[in-house]
Amino acid sequence: MLRMLTEIRIAGFGGQGVILAASVIGKAVAIFEGGFATMTQSFGPEARGGSSSAQVILSNDPILYPYVTRPDILVVMSQEAYTRFAPQLKPGGILITEQELVRVDQVPENIRVYGVPATRLAEELGRKVVLNIVMVGFFGAVTNLVDPASLRKAVEDSVPPAMAKLNLQAFDKGFEYGAELVQRLAEGLEAEPADALESV
Amino acid sequence: MLRMLTEIRIAGFGGQGVILAASVIGKAVAIFEGGFATMTQSFGPEARGGSSSAQVILSNDPILYPYVTRPDILVVMSQEAYTRFAPQLKPGGILITEQELVRVDQVPENIRVYGVPATRLAEELGRKVVLNIVMVGFFGAVTNLVDPASLRKAVEDSVPPAMAKLNLQAFDKGFEYGAELVQRLAEGLEAEPADALESV
């Protein structure tokens, strides 16, 4: 997989499983694709107030400096996370949102935006708590950065055995939603992502 | 609290909750004590095979380089983790073990060693899965590095509300075990920690 160095930030509020989502992506690349990854959670005084944020770096080579400065990909699950981190996105980057929790405005034209109602999809599975894994599945489909089979294995590897089936269903649900969205966009059946936001 | 820069590594096998334990310690310092902390999980090809390791740095100042090179404190919950990481401990450092899972040998004289049967204590609470929080409680008591009240708050802040009571019990159990051990050692009722290992 072509991937020199990709910086990802995942952010939301506590209890949404930000860290697990980040860890799954790191594991998928490092353990199942032979690459390297780090996941870093920084706690500073600004971490008070229930927000949660993790940084993931994926690379073909060992990573010498694990801090994300300007993410290539930003995944946000709260409005606060969006407001805080969206300005840091690299030009040409990808913004992924929990679309019912985040209202996107003022996106630079060169940022692609993809939204998924992850909480609602998780609730359809009967467990809101798997919204983070729905996000991971969606991330997999819209970025095409990591082999979906590796991501699935990393999900399975990261949760207790009794929770594996539910989490894999959540992954698949997010992935399918993302794959369909990408296809609709490719077919031009939907407006450009940035315009589609008007309906959020 | 006097703490310039403390490097901690927590390692074990997957499913033991290494990352959550590391995250709780980081949160306690950063969110409830106004310090800074980072938690980093590095995934390389060596991460295959079910081992899990996290690095935590605690500091009074923002942390510029989050990688632990030589830990001041090493917490190990598997023999493999002990074998791999114990040689990296700083002179004067502290080694904390899950004593029924790790057999300690060849400890340099200037390393203090503290063991706790965390899995068994967790099983006494009816849920083996909280062994990581038992370890955090024990860590709190034997290192005296972080205010126990801050650690407790971080535990509560890091688990789903329905699991808070169980996890706080686990924390208290580990803490009490550690506090009693430290007191026995102080009273000279027990051999020096390094000698006490013979009975492991």
Side-chain angles (χ1 to χ4, degrees):
Chain A
M1 188 166 285
L2 278 177
R3 180 199 315 117
M4 291 304 289
L5 187 82
T6 303
E7 303 187 330
I8 303 167
R9 183 183 285 278
I10 305 179
F13 37 80
Q16 285 182 319
V18 161
I19 306 303
L20 181 62
S23 187
V24 163
I25 294 170
K27 264 192 194 174
V29 166
I31 304 186
F32 301 110
E33 299 200 350
F36 292 84
T38 63
M39 188 273 284
T40 302
Q41 188 180 15
S42 295
F43 311 90
E46 77 283 3
R48 292 188 193 90
S51 66
S52 180
S53 162
Q55 311 169 65
V56 182
I57 297 185
L58 311 179
S59 175
N60 293 326
D61 302 303
I63 296 156
L64 300 179
Y65 184 76
Y67 282 134
V68 168
T69 46
R70 302 205 65 182
D72 300 284
I73 302 169
L74 173 64
V75 180
V76 286
M77 299 190 253
S78 75
Q79 191 66 35
E80 187 190 332
Y82 165 71
T83 304
R84 180 161 167 218
F85 295 115
Q88 298 172 4
L89 255 173
K90 270 192 202 138
I94 295 176
L95 172 64
I96 296 173
T97 70
E98 205 302 355
Q99 69 180 30
E100 295 179 357
L101 297 175
V102 178
R103 182 174 172 83
V104 175
D105 49 22
Q106 298 178 314
V107 179
E109 278 189 27
N110 56 359
I111 300 289
R112 279 177 290 157
V113 185
Y114 299 96
V116 57
T119 308
R120 181 157 54 80
L121 295 178
E123 281 168 350
E124 285 174 16
L125 293 171
R127 290 295 301 274
K128 186 176 163 181
V129 73
V130 295
L131 85 104
N132 58 339
I133 303 301
V134 174
M135 294 297 297
V136 171
F138 184 73
F139 162 92
V142 301
T143 66
N144 201 24
L145 190 69
V146 185
D147 182 345
S150 300
L151 282 171
R152 277 189 115 252
K153 276 189 246 169
V155 168
E156 203 168 0
D157 195 61
S158 303
V159 300
M163 302 296 282
K165 189 180 164 198
L166 171 70
N167 279 279
L168 289 172
Q169 287 173 329
F171 177 85
D172 291 343
K173 201 148 183 155
F175 190 88
E176 281 158 27
Y177 191 96
E180 283 169 20
L181 175 62
V182 167
Q183 197 177 349
R184 282 202 308 277
L185 292 170
E187 290 170 356
L189 298 179
E190 199 147 305
E192 289 296 304
D195 297 338
L197 293 165
E198 303 301 322
S199 63
V200 170
Chain B
M1 188 166 284
L2 278 176
R3 179 199 317 116
M4 290 304 289
L5 187 82
T6 303
E7 303 187 330
I8 304 168
R9 184 183 284 278
I10 305 179
F13 37 81
Q16 286 181 318
V18 161
I19 306 303
L20 180 62
S23 186
V24 163
I25 294 169
K27 263 192 197 175
V29 166
I31 303 186
F32 301 111
E33 300 200 349
F36 292 84
T38 63
M39 188 273 284
T40 302
Q41 188 179 16
S42 295
F43 312 89
E46 78 281 5
R48 292 188 193 89
S51 67
S52 182
S53 162
Q55 311 170 64
V56 182
I57 297 185
L58 310 179
S59 175
N60 293 326
D61 302 303
I63 296 155
L64 300 179
Y65 184 76
Y67 282 134
V68 168
T69 46
R70 302 205 65 183
D72 300 283
I73 302 170
L74 173 64
V75 180
V76 285
M77 299 190 252
S78 76
Q79 192 66 34
E80 187 190 333
Y82 166 72
T83 304
R84 180 161 168 218
F85 296 115
Q88 298 173 2
L89 254 173
K90 271 192 201 139
I94 296 177
L95 173 65
I96 295 174
T97 69
E98 204 302 356
Q99 69 180 28
E100 295 180 356
L101 297 176
V102 177
R103 184 177 168 80
V104 175
D105 50 20
Q106 299 177 312
V107 179
E109 278 189 26
N110 56 0
I111 300 288
R112 280 176 289 157
V113 184
Y114 300 95
V116 57
T119 309
R120 182 157 53 78
L121 295 179
E123 281 167 351
E124 285 174 17
L125 293 171
R127 289 294 301 274
K128 186 176 162 181
V129 73
V130 295
L131 84 105
N132 57 340
I133 303 299
V134 175
M135 294 297 296
V136 170
F138 184 74
F139 161 92
V142 303
T143 66
N144 201 25
L145 190 69
V146 185
D147 182 344
S150 300
L151 283 170
R152 277 188 115 250
K153 275 188 248 170
V155 168
E156 205 169 357
D157 195 61
S158 303
V159 300
M163 302 297 280
K165 189 180 164 197
L166 171 70
N167 280 279
L168 288 172
Q169 287 174 331
F171 176 85
D172 292 343
K173 202 148 182 156
F175 190 89
E176 281 157 27
Y177 191 95
E180 282 168 20
L181 175 62
V182 167
Q183 196 176 351
R184 282 202 308 277
L185 291 169
E187 289 170 356
L189 297 180
E190 199 146 305
E192 288 296 305
D195 296 337
L197 295 165
E198 302 301 320
S199 63
V200 171

